[in-house]
């Protein structure tokens, strides 16, 4: 997804949660495939749903330079926390919690 379009949609989500539909349509299946490949023990559907629920609840994002890497890093953190069992202890969008091991 285009970087400018992604950030514009995030900005629009502050007023209207239905604005997230293009991001949902674009990333939901990709998130599920990414999680299934990287964390076979995690439930990919749950991770994808949790990501979008947290995205809806959060507002005031800074400009995201690489949306795909950001989305995957957030989902990796959710999957890890679900596997460990401390889903409430890991903040989703804190930059210091990102572990980008691959370039996308």
């Amino acid at each position: 997804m285009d970087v400018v379009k992604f950030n514009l949609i995030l900005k629009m989500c502050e007023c209207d949660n239905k604005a997230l539909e293009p991001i949902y349509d674009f990333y939901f299946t990709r998130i599920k495939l990414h999680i299934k490949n990287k964390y076979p023990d995690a439930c990919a559907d749950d991770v994808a749903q949790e990501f979008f629920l947290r995205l809806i609840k959060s507002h005031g994002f800074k400009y995201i330079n690489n949306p795909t890497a950001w989305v995957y890093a957030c989902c990796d953190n959710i999957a890890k926390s679900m596997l460990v069992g401390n889903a409430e202890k890991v903040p989703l969008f804190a930059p210091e919690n990102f572990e980008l091991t691959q370039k996308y």
Side-chain angles (χ1 to χ4, degrees):
M1 177 173 276
D2 181 66
V3 176
V4 175
K5 181 178 178 182
F6 182 86
N7 284 287
L8 181 62
I9 292 170
L10 282 184
K11 193 70 170 166
M12 290 172 26
C13 290
E14 294 177 6
C15 301
D16 180 18
N17 286 334
K18 288 188 179 186
L20 266 179
E21 286 180 20
I23 293 176
Y24 180 88
D25 292 339
F26 186 82
Y27 281 109
F28 190 79
T29 306
R30 288 170 172 82
I31 290 169
K32 288 179 14 178
L33 290 173
H34 173 77
I35 296 300
K36 283 181 185 177
N37 289 334
K38 197 166 181 182
Y39 303 99
D41 295 338
C43 181
D45 287 329
D46 289 347
V47 172
Q49 290 175 5
E50 183 67 22
F51 170 76
F52 284 104
L53 286 173
R54 291 185 187 187
L55 192 61
I56 288 170
K57 292 177 185 177
S58 301
H59 295 293
F61 295 103
K62 294 181 180 177
Y63 191 85
I64 297 169
N65 292 318
N66 192 337
T68 302
W70 181 78
V71 168
Y72 288 162
C74 292
C75 291
D76 286 344
N77 287 336
I78 292 171
K80 288 175 190 176
S81 64
M82 285 182 169
L83 289 173
V84 174
N86 61 351
E88 298 303 318
K89 295 181 183 176
V90 178
L92 176 62
F93 302 117
E96 63 272 5
N97 291 328
F98 289 3
E99 295 180 17
L100 294 177
T101 56
Q102 301 177 16
K103 291 185 178 179
Y104 295 95

